[in-house]
Amino acid sequence: MLPSTYEAKKYEDKIYKIWEDSGFFKADVNSDKEPFTISMPPPNATGVLHLGHAVMLAIEDILIRHRRMKGYEALWLPGTDHAAIATESVVIKNLKNEEGIANPRSLGREKLVKRIAEYVKKSQGTIRSQIRKIGASCDWSREKYTMDQSLNRCVNEVFKKMFNDKLIYKAERVVNWDVSLQTTISDDEVEYIEKESILYTFEYLSAKQTGGEPIFVATSRPETKLGDTALAVHPDDNRYKHLVGQTFDVVWPGGQEIKVTIIADHTVDRKFGTGVVGITPFHSKTDYEMWQRHKDKIKSKPIQVINEDGKITDNVKSYVGMTAEECRNEFVEGLRKEGKLKSEKKYIQQLSISYRSKKPIEPLPKLQWFIDVNKEVVEWNNKKMSLKQIMQEVVRKKEIQIIPDRFEKIYFNWIDNLQDWCISRQIWWGHRIPVWYKENKTYVDIQPPKEQGWEQDTDTLDTWFSSALWTWSTLVDTKLTKDFSISLEDILKNSPEFQKFHPTHVMETGYDIIFFWIARMILMTTYSIKQIPFKTVYLHGLIRTREGKKMSKSDPKTCIDPLNIIEQYGADALRMSMVIGNTPGNDMRLYEEKIRGYRNFTNKLWNASRFVLTILEEKKITNEQPIKQENLSDSDQWILNKLNLTIKTADKNLMEYKISDTGQLLYNFLWNDFCDWYLELSKGPKQNPAVLYHVLKNILILLHPITPYVTEEIWSHLPGQKNMLIKTNYPAPDKREYNGLSTEKIINVITKIRQLRAENKIEPARKIPITIFGHEHLETLKENKSEILRLARVSELTLEEKGEKLSNASTEVVNGIEIFIPLEGLVDTKKEKERLTKEISNLENYLKSLKAKLSNTKFTDNAPAEIVKGEKKKMKEAEEKLEKMKEQLAQF
């Protein structure tokens, strides 16, 4: 017998251990079953579980459990990411704070990397145990880590192949430099925030120099003007046309001398500032590109003004060693003294910050490694294509489906604007670039050169380079990767797991990393192995607070700790709360009361199961009994019909990745159909143990992918079930046809009586007399009279075929059945009429204001579509309520 209450923490760890120890999560590479594969997006090896992880794990676990129960050979491959920049910065911070090592790099590369590796090894257990807590049924025997030897082999193979295909090259470009972390970051790792800044407008060229009006320039970074090589104007700007092509000498405060050439470029915004832009090639990507277009006309060469530490270089003698901000203040003060500063205005600027450190980015010229995304040298579908073109084609031709499909437009727009990918990072932790130098020679291979005297490139690869290979590099035979005489192509051909489980079937992740990771996996996998990495991309939204705010570590009050929630309410309650209402691509709000509500659902399931198991025990049922058609009551047929529909719909939904719909469907079936109606009807003489067993059994199977713990525990108490629920087959609809129409009518009648009671403010516990004119349904009503009396709280039930409408009674018609509640003695008629009259007046005024709002084109044309839709919905609901209240008033 089940205990009286369900305490999640009493069961969850124990059940998970049994699952894992029994090998139920392991996929069989030798089976002939159809495969279904998910590669788990690897969390940081040194990280902790947050709600984003929890959502991803819950959704993927639901899919993998469903397919496993459907008979697929389901592989969910787990792993962790080395998170190069994040991990190195944490260890460096720890060494400084805990061991007093002022400059951890003074340890040398080998020792520091060793210390980082030790830290990762010690930390990995934390995220592993937390993944287990959520109930993730992943194949731990195949766990991978992005720094594993086998993955490093794949990384080096792909680098070498791209280098040989002239897709990887080294060049000096202006890159995004993170001063705080001392490394470059990619364009996709740059975030933009709004910040109040000052727009300085000052005289750049005097009237004497131009022979007419002086030229003013407006900028928020005047210190970079010390490195200008040109002034750009729009070619159609008549104010400056006559100056295009001329070169001027400029002497700035402090004595810095520069030469600037006036150039014309269509990208200049004539309306911003003065319409003149100073071009600093080494401190702006836009300026660098413009300089590239016009460098033959520009007389002076670019200089670097700011260095890697964010300080002024010795190219600018007067300000050398200052921070950029100190230089700005000094420079502006100098302009002010010389009478050249025209104005200082506050404005809101889009500031570029690092996704990693959250500190401002400094565009700097650096010699870096890049991947060329535009060169048409890649063989794909018998055509020579660029990496960008392949990325577009596989989605456009639906080889890869993105859910929801509206993100395809965003995906294509991003690819259209994709620039060459900077893949080198100036840190020590990560996959080291497999390039060696000796004198003027360069050696690129998967192994170091055998000769002495070669020095390896000091940079490491962008973390996304290795994780972009995740879906297939995790499936190669690790033994084969140790044999360097075998090519990558042969490794893949002779790796059974790769052959069976790739391409993977679905990549589930947050929409916020579609460009960081999803797009790069498509780019690198289609190039490397001539396969797509996955067939479907399922994008979940962000989890937000009750008020719609983004949860942030910097504001702990906004965060929900999934581990604390699991401790309080159980993993099943958390899983349901993250699934129901969480539609692909849309953000959802999550708060403790919502999670508590789904804890109530697990309690409801527990109590309903306890009720059924008690009946089975009383009837001495020791195993599942066959359902005999001749023994079925109408209510039995009704629930069996509902169950068939639920099984069919739930299965279809999960096959189509409609996970929220599935959760809501099963919630309604258990709570409403089974508990509120069928179990209540089963408390009477129509009890059928075989049907109770059958329906409960299928409820547990259907709910298992979503709420695995509570269903597994209840299953262990179900008579005659020897196997664990996790290994049970997913149900198919019963092929028999059932009726249950009479029960549906009785449920509608009872529901309508309850509704009338509520509308007339009749106490729920008070028994009242009811009159019903059944017309052609009279016999059905008579057969179910006891159910109506009990479930509608009726003291006296008068059933007639038809009759005259009762006066002073609340009335409703449902399916042709007339229901009357005599209000005499139940309701104070005078007070009720006064209340209704007042509420009708208030509602009419409310409707009047809503109609005025919606007839105002200023509102409907300018307000967000969702707001307008919401107001229309309010109006419709108010109109329906008004009509109902007028009907109630008429009854008096």
Side-chain angles (χ1 to χ4, degrees):
M1 174 57 66
L2 286 178
S4 58
T5 56
Y6 176 64
E7 297 176 54
K9 59 184 176 183
K10 186 176 173 182
Y11 302 101
E12 291 183 348
D13 290 347
K14 178 189 74 174
I15 289 171
Y16 194 92
K17 190 173 189 311
I18 295 170
W19 286 335
E20 191 175 352
D21 291 349
S22 302
F24 293 148
F25 303 163
K26 291 181 182 177
D28 182 3
V29 72
N30 297 313
S31 83
D32 56 4
K33 293 180 183 178
E34 185 179 343
F36 180 80
T37 317
I38 298 178
S39 290
M40 181 188 292
N44 290 359
T46 58
V48 292
L49 190 74
H50 56 66
L51 272 182
H53 293 138
V55 171
M56 173 268 290
L57 292 168
I59 291 172
E60 291 181 16
D61 192 47
I62 289 166
L63 295 173
I64 215 78
R65 285 178 186 267
H66 172 254
R67 298 308 196 278
R68 191 186 287 130
M69 295 170 94
K70 287 275 291 179
Y72 289 81
E73 196 57 59
L75 169 62
W76 187 14
L77 194 146
T80 50
D81 188 79
H82 65 283
I85 295 176
T87 304
E88 181 170 310
S89 61
V90 166
V91 174
I92 285 175
K93 186 179 178 182
N94 290 347
L95 290 171
K96 285 179 179 178
N97 296 341
E98 295 170 16
E99 298 186 27
I101 303 173
N103 179 18
R105 290 201 169 213
S106 66
L107 294 172
R109 185 168 196 142
E110 191 176 334
K111 283 186 179 178
L112 181 59
V113 166
K114 187 181 177 185
R115 293 294 296 271
I116 297 171
E118 287 169 356
Y119 174 79
V120 170
K121 194 173 182 181
K122 195 164 59 175
S123 303
Q124 269 177 316
T126 302
I127 195 71
R128 287 189 188 118
S129 65
Q130 292 172 349
I131 290 170
R132 286 174 167 90
K133 275 284 185 186
I134 201 77
S137 60
C138 49
D139 189 344
W140 289 106
S141 69
R142 290 180 166 90
E143 183 188 2
K144 291 294 188 287
Y145 173 47
T146 51
M147 288 286 280
D148 285 345
Q149 175 275 326
S150 56
L151 275 71
N152 179 253
R153 169 75 187 269
C154 295
V155 165
N156 290 345
E157 288 278 4
V158 173
F159 186 98
K160 180 187 175 184
K161 178 177 166 62
M162 295 188 104
F163 181 83
N164 290 342
D165 285 344
K166 295 184 170 47
L167 288 173
I168 282 182
Y169 64 92
K170 197 173 190 180
E172 185 172 63
R173 297 273 178 84
V174 172
V175 295
N176 307 303
W177 182 258
D178 188 325
V179 175
S180 173
L181 297 175
Q182 288 290 290
T183 184
T184 55
I185 62 170
S186 67
D187 291 343
D188 302 317
E189 292 172 307
V190 177
E191 292 180 344
Y192 298 91
I193 60 168
E194 289 189 343
K195 186 183 176 185
E196 187 180 87
S197 299
I198 297 174
L199 188 67
Y200 300 93
T201 303
F202 52 88
E203 183 185 287
Y204 205 109
L205 297 176
S206 66
K208 184 179 179 182
Q209 286 176 295
T210 63
E213 294 294 320
I215 286 183
F216 291 87
V217 165
T219 178
S220 61
R221 298 201 65 186
E223 71 278 9
T224 62
K225 301 302 99 189
L226 294 160
D228 277 1
T229 58
L231 289 175
V233 299
H234 194 278
D236 298 331
D237 195 330
N238 292 325
R239 292 174 294 175
Y240 310 114
K241 266 186 178 181
H242 63 289
L243 296 173
V244 173
Q246 295 184 44
T247 298
F248 297 90
D249 292 317
V250 178
V251 181
W252 289 125
Q256 179 77 4
E257 295 180 15
I258 62 170
K259 279 185 185 295
V260 291
T261 304
I262 311 292
I263 59 172
D265 195 283
H266 283 91
T267 63
V268 175
D269 182 357
R270 283 178 280 183
K271 294 177 182 176
F272 180 79
T274 62
V276 182
V277 182
I279 303 304
T280 320
F282 280 177
H283 294 286
S284 161
K285 284 192 174 185
T286 304
D287 290 6
Y288 182 82
E289 289 166 6
M290 201 181 292
W291 173 72
Q292 287 280 7
R293 290 195 293 273
H294 300 277
K295 61 184 177 183
D296 292 342
K297 305 167 194 169
I298 297 171
K299 306 297 182 189
S300 58
K301 291 183 179 179
I303 62 166
Q304 186 172 341
V305 175
I306 301 166
N307 66 17
E308 288 85 349
D309 296 318
K311 295 186 175 179
I312 304 302
T313 68
D314 58 7
N315 290 325
V316 186
K317 302 295 182 188
S318 304
Y319 304 98
V320 65
M322 292 184 183
T323 65
E325 190 174 354
E326 288 168 346
C327 176
R328 183 182 312 155
N329 293 337
E330 288 277 335
F331 184 68
V332 169
E333 187 56 34
L335 291 171
R336 187 180 285 111
K337 285 178 180 176
E338 292 180 8
K340 292 182 177 178
L341 187 63
K342 184 180 180 182
S343 66
E344 299 173 70
K345 290 182 181 177
K346 290 182 179 179
Y347 82 114
I348 300 301
Q349 180 189 30
Q350 286 281 97
L351 183 68
S352 306
I353 63 166
S354 166
Y355 160 79
R356 299 288 183 183
S357 68
K358 304 302 179 187
K359 298 291 175 62
I361 288 298
E362 194 64 67
L364 293 181
K366 300 286 290 181
L367 188 62
Q368 299 289 314
W369 290 96
F370 294 87
I371 290 179
D372 189 325
V373 296
N374 293 297
K375 191 173 285 186
E376 296 180 5
V377 296
V378 186
E379 195 73 35
W380 185 263
N381 290 339
N382 300 316
K383 290 183 286 185
K384 291 283 186 184
M385 302 175 75
S386 70
L387 295 170
K388 276 172 73 165
Q389 289 167 340
I390 297 170
M391 291 168 76
Q392 289 170 323
E393 180 163 297
V394 293
V395 173
R396 193 165 279 125
K397 289 190 173 180
K398 301 298 179 184
E399 292 176 63
I400 295 175
Q401 178 192 10
I402 298 177
I403 301 174
D405 59 9
R406 72 173 186 272
F407 278 89
E408 287 185 7
K409 184 178 179 182
I410 299 168
Y411 174 84
F412 289 132
N413 182 61
W414 178 80
I415 293 173
D416 287 341
N417 294 287
L418 182 63
Q419 296 181 340
D420 288 0
W421 173 15
C422 177
I423 56 171
S424 45
R425 299 291 178 268
Q426 288 65 54
I427 57 174
W428 289 352
W429 178 242
H431 293 277
R432 198 163 174 182
I433 289 177
V435 176
W436 289 261
Y437 307 103
K438 184 179 181 182
E439 297 167 355
N440 295 322
K441 300 177 196 171
T442 300
Y443 180 90
V444 180
D445 207 344
I446 57 175
Q447 281 189 297
K450 292 176 182 177
E451 304 165 18
Q452 296 295 312
W454 289 89
E455 291 289 330
Q456 189 171 0
D457 196 302
T458 56
D459 287 353
T460 53
L461 286 163
D462 179 7
T463 298
W464 299 109
F465 188 101
S466 54
S467 56
L469 315 178
W470 183 248
T471 63
W472 62 268
S473 61
T474 53
L475 294 171
V476 299
D477 188 320
T478 54
K479 290 178 185 175
L480 294 178
T481 60
K482 293 173 184 175
D483 184 347
F484 290 94
S485 67
I486 303 174
S487 68
L488 177 61
E489 189 178 0
D490 286 337
I491 290 173
L492 294 171
K493 279 180 184 175
N494 293 287
S495 294
E497 291 179 357
F498 171 79
Q499 292 297 326
K500 176 147 183 106
F501 294 113
H502 203 275
T504 63
H505 292 78
V506 59
M507 174 51 64
E508 197 288 332
T509 190
Y511 68 68
D512 53 331
I513 63 169
I514 184 172
F515 309 129
F516 289 136
W517 195 39
I518 297 293
R520 282 183 165 77
M521 280 193 283
I522 295 172
L523 182 156
M524 296 294 275
T525 304
T526 51
Y527 167 76
S528 306
I529 62 170
K530 300 296 181 276
Q531 285 187 16
I532 54 172
F534 30 69
K535 297 173 184 177
T536 302
V537 175
Y538 182 105
L539 299 170
H540 68 251
L542 302 177
I543 302 293
R544 296 187 177 273
T545 65
R546 184 203 303 273
E547 295 77 24
K549 292 180 182 176
K550 187 176 178 181
M551 292 188 182
S552 169
K553 291 178 191 174
S554 59
D555 186 3
K557 290 178 184 176
T558 65
C559 290
I560 292 176
D561 184 342
L563 298 173
N564 288 343
I565 291 297
I566 291 170
E567 178 70 19
Q568 273 185 283
Y569 303 112
D572 291 330
L574 177 61
R575 287 166 67 114
M576 277 213 96
S577 69
M578 294 187 300
V579 165
I580 295 179
N582 187 354
T583 52
N586 295 318
D587 295 349
M588 74 172 291
R589 300 182 184 197
L590 190 64
Y591 38 91
E592 198 166 330
E593 293 90 332
K594 183 178 179 183
I595 299 165
R596 193 183 301 131
Y598 288 107
R599 193 266 310 272
N600 295 343
F601 176 82
T602 60
N603 289 343
K604 186 86 168 176
L605 173 61
W606 185 266
N607 293 333
S609 303
R610 197 165 179 269
F611 174 76
V612 173
L613 292 172
T614 302
I615 293 171
L616 298 179
E617 189 176 313
E618 288 171 356
K619 304 285 185 184
K620 295 186 169 45
I621 304 293
T622 57
N623 50 44
E624 189 169 6
Q625 305 291 310
I627 293 174
K628 295 178 181 177
Q629 193 90 21
E630 63 272 19
N631 294 340
L632 297 178
S633 67
D634 193 81
S635 60
D636 292 335
Q637 295 204 52
W638 177 81
I639 195 66
L640 290 170
N641 188 44
K642 287 276 187 180
L643 176 63
N644 271 348
L645 184 61
T646 301
I647 290 171
K648 184 180 178 181
T649 309
D651 188 33
K652 183 175 183 288
N653 281 348
L654 287 177
M655 292 303 290
E656 295 174 356
Y657 305 107
K658 295 176 182 176
I659 299 163
S660 174
D661 290 352
T662 306
Q664 192 63 61
L665 173 78
L666 298 179
Y667 181 100
N668 292 340
F669 179 72
L670 172 79
W671 198 290
N672 301 333
D673 299 337
F674 188 61
C675 294
D676 285 358
W677 293 113
Y678 185 68
L679 289 189
E680 289 300 320
L681 294 169
S682 294
K683 288 176 182 176
K686 300 175 183 178
Q687 220 168 65
N688 189 327
V691 174
L692 283 167
Y693 186 112
H694 176 75
V695 178
L696 177 61
K697 171 192 166 184
N698 281 286
I699 283 173
L700 295 175
I701 299 171
L702 291 168
L703 275 170
H704 180 72
I706 301 176
T707 55
Y709 287 116
V710 67
T711 50
E712 188 72 80
E713 181 58 29
I714 296 169
W715 184 266
S716 69
H717 293 267
L718 201 60
Q721 295 300 335
K722 295 175 183 177
N723 293 325
M724 291 192 80
L725 178 54
I726 193 174
K727 291 296 284 183
T728 302
N729 292 334
Y730 202 79
D734 189 337
K735 291 181 181 177
R736 289 182 286 187
E737 290 187 9
Y738 300 106
N739 192 333
L741 292 176
S742 296
T743 299
E744 188 73 30
K745 289 171 191 170
I746 296 305
I747 288 171
N748 290 338
V749 167
I750 294 169
T751 301
K752 198 54 70 176
I753 292 171
R754 290 173 175 172
Q755 187 180 323
L756 287 173
R757 293 179 64 121
E759 288 172 0
N760 289 284
K761 307 288 188 291
I762 300 169
E763 295 168 11
R766 185 172 180 177
K767 289 195 172 185
I768 58 171
I770 299 280
T771 296
I772 299 178
F773 297 158
H775 299 277
E776 69 268 25
H777 308 294
L778 183 61
E779 287 308 311
T780 298
L781 293 167
K782 286 180 177 180
E783 288 168 9
N784 293 276
K785 184 175 181 178
S786 61
E787 279 74 24
I788 299 172
L789 285 164
R790 179 166 57 89
L791 298 177
R793 303 290 293 168
V794 176
S795 58
E796 183 183 342
L797 179 59
T798 303
L799 293 172
E800 302 287 350
E801 182 182 354
K802 55 187 176 182
E804 288 188 16
K805 186 176 179 181
L806 274 63
S807 60
N808 195 21
S810 187
T811 310
E812 189 60 84
V813 179
V814 56
N815 302 127
I817 299 168
E818 295 180 81
I819 303 167
F820 300 92
I821 298 181
L823 299 176
E824 192 68 44
L826 294 175
V827 175
D828 185 324
T829 309
K830 185 180 177 184
K831 282 186 178 179
E832 191 63 14
K833 285 173 74 176
E834 287 173 357
R835 181 187 69 81
L836 283 168
T837 303
K838 186 177 179 181
E839 285 191 19
I840 286 169
S841 175
N842 290 339
L843 199 53
E844 284 175 336
N845 288 332
Y846 173 64
L847 264 172
K848 189 177 177 182
S849 66
L850 273 179
K851 285 176 180 175
K853 192 175 189 179
L854 288 166
S855 62
N856 184 349
T857 53
K858 284 185 179 178
F859 170 72
T860 53
D861 292 348
N862 298 312
E866 282 190 13
I867 300 291
V868 176
K869 188 179 176 183
E871 295 298 296
K872 286 180 179 177
K873 186 183 177 185
K874 285 180 191 175
M875 188 168 77
K876 186 182 177 185
E877 288 170 353
E879 285 172 340
E880 289 171 356
K881 188 178 178 182
L882 180 63
E883 186 180 350
K884 186 70 184 170
M885 290 173 77
K886 284 182 175 179
E887 285 175 8
Q888 283 180 259
L889 184 60
Q891 289 169 2
F892 291 104

